[in-house]
Amino acid sequence: GSACFHPPRPPPNFYRLTRMHLALGPRQGDSIGEILDKRDPATCPSLKNLKKKNCNELKGLLLEALNKQREQLVEHEGEGTSIEKGIQKEITWASKVNVEKAEKEAKKHR
């Protein structure tokens, strides 16, 4: 989303992870692999933020993510791969989720 922080350049010795708007680094020293996350905590994907959404919104986000993942996979590897078939199974499963029933179940655990 556009609400995420887009650093023009990561700090020295960090690699930029463009799709996730994060920086991974440093490349050497005691902190190798540290992740620098400058996204807005109020809007970035997190358990805290996802818990605020209802089951219908979550189902929509899941289906959107799976469909985009499938589209990008097909664009790069073509149709019919085993991974694409797995994603399609997940899309089929998610499409069948009864949001009213899921919402009732979720309320038991809030």
Side-chain angles (χ1 to χ4, degrees):
S2 59
C4 292
F5 174 76
H6 299 276
R9 258 185 290 164
N13 296 324
F14 276 70
Y15 293 103
R16 183 165 182 209
L17 303 176
T18 55
R19 294 267 177 181
M20 296 188 288
H21 313 295
L22 305 170
L24 177 65
R27 296 177 215 165
Q28 52 190 304
D30 292 337
S31 303
I32 286 179
E34 177 185 328
I35 296 176
L36 178 64
D37 186 350
K38 294 287 190 174
R39 296 175 295 178
D40 180 351
T43 58
C44 72
S46 67
L47 182 58
K48 181 180 177 182
N49 290 336
L50 291 173
K51 285 174 69 174
K52 296 175 187 174
K53 299 187 179 301
N54 65 42
C55 290
N56 194 47
E57 289 175 289
L58 292 172
K59 178 181 177 177
L61 288 171
L62 176 60
L63 286 169
E64 179 182 356
L66 289 168
N67 280 304
K68 283 184 180 180
Q69 189 177 35
R70 184 188 163 279
E71 287 171 18
Q72 289 179 2
L73 177 70
V74 168
E75 182 180 312
H76 292 284
E77 297 188 18
E79 292 186 344
T81 65
S82 61
I83 295 172
E84 183 202 3
K85 290 175 186 175
I87 294 170
Q88 189 57 53
K89 284 182 182 180
E90 292 177 13
I91 291 170
T92 300
W93 173 85
S95 297
K96 294 178 182 179
V97 169
N98 180 324
V99 292
E100 291 82 17
K101 186 176 177 182
E103 197 66 51
K104 286 180 186 176
E105 187 65 28
K107 285 181 183 179
K108 295 179 188 176
H109 302 284
R110 286 188 182 144

